[in-house]
Amino acid sequence: MASDKRSYHYIGRFAPSPSGPLHDGSLVAAMASYLDARAHKGQWLLRIEDIDAPRTIAGADKTIMAQLSCLGMQWDAPPVWQSHRLDRYRTVFEQLKARQLVYGCACTRRQLTGGAYPGTCSRGLAAGQQARAWRLRVPAGVVRFVDLWQGPQSQDVAAEVGDFIIKRADGLWAYQFVVVIDDADQGVTDIVRGMDLLNSTARQRVLAQLLGARAPRTMHVPLLLDEAGQKLSKQNHAPPLDHGNAVAALEKAWKHLGFPLLPRIESVSEFWAQAVPRWAARFNI
Ligand code: GLU
């Protein structure tokens, strides 16, 4: 096992959607992925997930990068913007289509009840029907994996989710689709992100398998909730991080991850110097 550990070339990533600046909640995910990459002496990549153009705020990418730098979190390769990769997504989509693994779906939101997609359009559209969205044909079977924070997981994607959308009715590529292509193309071995995406992981593993990619290991860390028990997010107007006090912002995220306060931290570099070995010890890295 020890030799396995040494030969493991870790590539992690932080993949923010530039719909606003980093806030206390997104910092928790950024911190956990950064700590895990540094503890493994691996690479940490930054990917700007600006695929959802209507939700993208101009300049938020630059703000996030400035915030990460100010927090002492340095990425190891030039960042990747999803908006620059549209040709790649189209190519993969065409490949799946040629393999008959995707199909056009004419169902409107009103026709769908909200449970698993019943496969209404999976045998083709009637004459005169127009494809609105495109769905992946999900193979039968239960997806099982062990999440490094949440433990063993299983989901029968075909039964519980059904054929899911990879190209949306508004013409945009779905997050579930592009994230898998990006992680595979960037050689990501380890995904560390917020708990809200645990439920997406089985779908992403199905896609990775169909694309012949190795599914990354995952760790889904607890979310920071507001007083109403809601995920802190840009949508519910979480305040941006306080630039003036980077150490305090780091300490807050660190505490949320369940660690005791570090003694005498006066700079961001001191914070990381102390935090990384503690993370490594906790996860036996
Ligand atoms: N872009 C996603 C978000 O900001 C994260 C995607 C991921 O880590 O897989 O919620």
Side-chain angles (χ1 to χ4, degrees), residues 97-279:
K97 208 167 152 198
R99 291 164 64 197
Q100 290 171 8
L101 288 170
V102 296
Y103 61 86
C105 172
C107 299
T108 61
R109 215 177 271 268
R110 280 180 46 218
Q111 286 170 290
L112 302 172
T113 52
Y117 180 66
T120 320
C121 297
S122 63
R123 291 205 193 88
L125 302 181
Q129 274 188 322
Q130 283 275 331
R132 293 163 41 82
W134 290 80
R135 293 179 182 272
L136 182 78
R137 240 179 250 289
V138 175
V142 178
V143 176
R144 293 176 210 283
F145 60 97
V146 177
D147 186 82
L148 295 175
W149 193 296
Q150 309 293 338
Q153 308 292 321
S154 66
Q155 189 179 53
D156 184 336
V157 180
E160 293 171 42
V161 181
D163 295 341
F164 56 89
I165 289 181
I166 63 173
K167 189 173 188 207
R168 301 172 5 178
D170 59 8
L172 297 177
W173 300 113
Y175 154 71
Q176 305 292 357
F177 178 55
V178 297
V179 76
V180 173
I181 301 173
D182 292 341
D183 285 332
D185 287 356
Q186 294 185 282
V188 168
T189 60
D190 286 74
I191 294 175
V192 180
R193 61 186 175 192
M195 176 62 189
D196 54 324
L197 294 169
L198 179 63
N199 188 260
S200 293
T201 305
R203 264 171 284 172
Q204 294 172 8
R205 292 179 75 95
V206 166
L207 246 170
Q209 191 172 19
L210 291 174
L211 297 176
R214 170 185 276 217
R217 302 196 303 180
T218 61
M219 176 187 270
H220 287 87
V221 301
L223 295 177
L224 206 58
L225 304 177
D226 66 14
E227 279 116 54
Q230 296 270 333
K231 176 191 171 191
L232 265 192
S233 71
K234 294 150 199 160
Q235 283 73 47
N236 56 34
H237 310 297
L241 291 176
D242 174 3
H243 262 283
N245 204 341
V247 171
L250 291 170
E251 285 177 330
K252 187 168 175 188
W254 176 248
K255 182 165 167 241
H256 178 72
L257 288 167
F259 290 90
L261 217 58
L262 298 167
R264 294 178 302 282
I265 299 294
E266 272 156 27
S267 66
V268 293
S269 54
E270 263 177 52
F271 172 83
W272 294 113
Q274 294 210 33
V276 171
R278 283 171 171 78
W279 180 275

